[in-house]
Amino acid sequence: MTTNARAKILLAFFSFIALTFSTLPSAWAADSNLKGIRGSFFDFVDDPWKHVGKEEESARFYSDGLLVLDNGIVKDFGAYGDLSGKYPGLAVTKISGRLILPGFISGHIHVPQTRVLGAYGQQLLPWLQDWIFPEEQKYQDPAYAKKGTKLFFDDLLAGGTTTCLAFVAPFKSATEEFFDEATRRNMRVIGGLAGIDRHAPPEFMTPPDRFYRETKELIEKYHNKGRNLYAITPRFAYGASPELLEACGKLRREYPDTWVNTHVSENPTETKTAAREAGCADYLGVYEKYGLVGPRFVGGHGVWLSDDEFERLHNKGAAIAFCPCSNLFLGSGLFRLGRATDPKCRVLLTFGDDMGGGNRFSLIHVLDEAYKVGMCNNTMLDGSVDPRCQNPAEAERNKLNAYRAFWSITLGGAVGLYADKWIGNFNKGKEADFVVLDWNGGPPATRWHQSLICDDNGPKNMKEAENLLFGIMAVGDDRAVDETWIMGKRAYKRAVETAANVAPTGPDVQ
Ligand SMILES: [Zn+2]
């Protein structure tokens, strides 16, 4: 090869190298799919009821933390000072003066009750006949269902709820709309067509053969598609014939990785009637009779469960959805939280708003009411009412401190729904759904209460974070939800800024 030819080859080689590097971004070493969120983070790594008196061991707090996301999945999480050096050039969104928690999880809610909150003075069964069935019937109209479903998801996000286990109206098109809207918003949801064929108006009934056929079609179309999961949904044993429950059992055998969502032992009259009509000793026994109780079974309420039913739920890995707003609003009763959390017989729990039996579209309100239910139980068991009923350990387990409360609507809710492999905390590999809390959001009392705990820069340690969170649930309200993020993208921003809510947020390249 001549010197001239060698020079031409070298020139071409260096030209190629120069061209290649000139087309790369300046931060070429960084993965362009990565982004970071910097702020104060609070999440959980364990069940606080396992750490009585030392609940902080179950939680994780970074006053200055960094959440690194790769296409909406958590890639890394920790203190900003420890992690930032690993990701030079990372595009970071800084969220100041806020507390960031995993997205809230509602384990029990009704899509077609979005427009029917706050009906006066009735217990469950007349409330269903007078208010709920007529409203849900309207969801047969696809246009009505479409608008109501959009409102439902808007309200979920405004309350900081990023995942729900939902009952949909007993119409296939309304159920399709639920999953289609969830898909458009990229939200992880579990839901299903709610079947009923007794104790309801004829036009509202779902004949068992139609329920079986339509549920099967919906499972094939939506289950495990994107973030959608399907729950076989007999509305409640009180409203289900043996044939409908048999259809549910058959579907469960055919699709063993689906969920089962229903109600159990909510109201005293309902509970007695359901067991008697099915020829069972108790309410849970009706679902057991048809093979429905096991992992991924979620029974709403469980207010009137016996000790024996709690033990059977524990043995089968099934869950109860505690819905205190609804239980108080409809006068159903006081769920025995301390009994369900007995370490010798622990029942999986998820908390639900049960909107519209619950009169608020907000899990922060649920925590407020759950705390009060727990305190009433505490009084009943501390020996002051009847020394024969004294049970100090169970009395204590009823007390819903901030750790137990927020665990129950994040990681605990995910565990109860068998969804913790996807959601619930900021562990690596989880889907990055989270809520940005403003501890000053809410009534004026919130601000003076919180000002006693920390300054505007936010909590500096775990204890301050705990006190702020308890203040949010006990003094504040859903206006504490400033932003809600789905898979690393902001899906909701509170519209009205409060005077104290002036901290800037937005992209900030490190
Ligand atoms: Zn319900």
Side-chain angles (χ1 to χ4, degrees), residues 108-110 113 167 262-263 266 300-301 323 326 354-355:
H108 187 106
I109 194 166
H110 295 258
Q113 296 176 20
F167 295 80
T262 189
H263 296 78
E266 177 177 0
H301 306 290
C323 305
S326 171
D354 192 27
M355 189 286 311

Side-chain angles (χ1 to χ4, degrees), residues 315-379:
N315 290 337
K316 290 174 177 166
I320 290 294
F322 174 29
C323 305
C325 290
S326 171
N327 298 157
L328 296 176
F329 189 76
L330 296 176
S332 299
L334 304 177
F335 176 69
R336 296 193 292 157
L337 184 61
R339 178 75 208 178
T341 49
D342 182 348
K344 295 190 290 294
C345 191
R346 180 59 192 270
V347 175
L348 292 173
L349 290 179
T350 176
F351 284 21
D353 16 23
D354 192 27
M355 189 286 311
N359 56 323
R360 293 281 189 278
F361 228 121
S362 161
L363 285 165
I364 289 175
H365 281 285
V366 165
L367 297 184
D368 178 17
E369 303 291 56
Y371 174 78
K372 295 167 188 169
V373 168
M375 289 308 292
C376 287
N377 287 333
N378 180 268
T379 300

Side-chain angles (χ1 to χ4, degrees), residues 205-281:
M205 305 272 202
T206 322
D209 56 342
R210 193 185 98 204
F211 176 82
Y212 172 81
R213 186 181 69 251
E214 293 186 347
T215 296
K216 194 174 175 70
E217 290 166 358
L218 288 162
I219 291 171
E220 295 283 350
K221 186 172 179 182
Y222 291 107
H223 185 52
N224 279 324
K225 305 288 168 36
R227 302 185 78 195
N228 297 318
L229 300 163
Y230 200 89
I232 300 161
T233 310
R235 187 179 190 114
F236 55 169
Y238 175 86
S241 67
E243 293 75 22
L244 186 69
L245 290 168
E246 181 50 51
C248 292
K250 188 175 178 203
L251 287 161
R252 177 72 154 173
R253 291 190 294 277
E254 290 175 351
Y255 300 96
D257 68 338
T258 53
W259 276 249
V260 174
N261 186 26
T262 189
H263 296 78
V264 64
S265 299
E266 177 177 0
N267 172 283
T269 304
E270 171 227 12
T271 300
K272 290 172 194 159
T273 308
R276 187 184 68 244
E277 290 187 345
C280 295

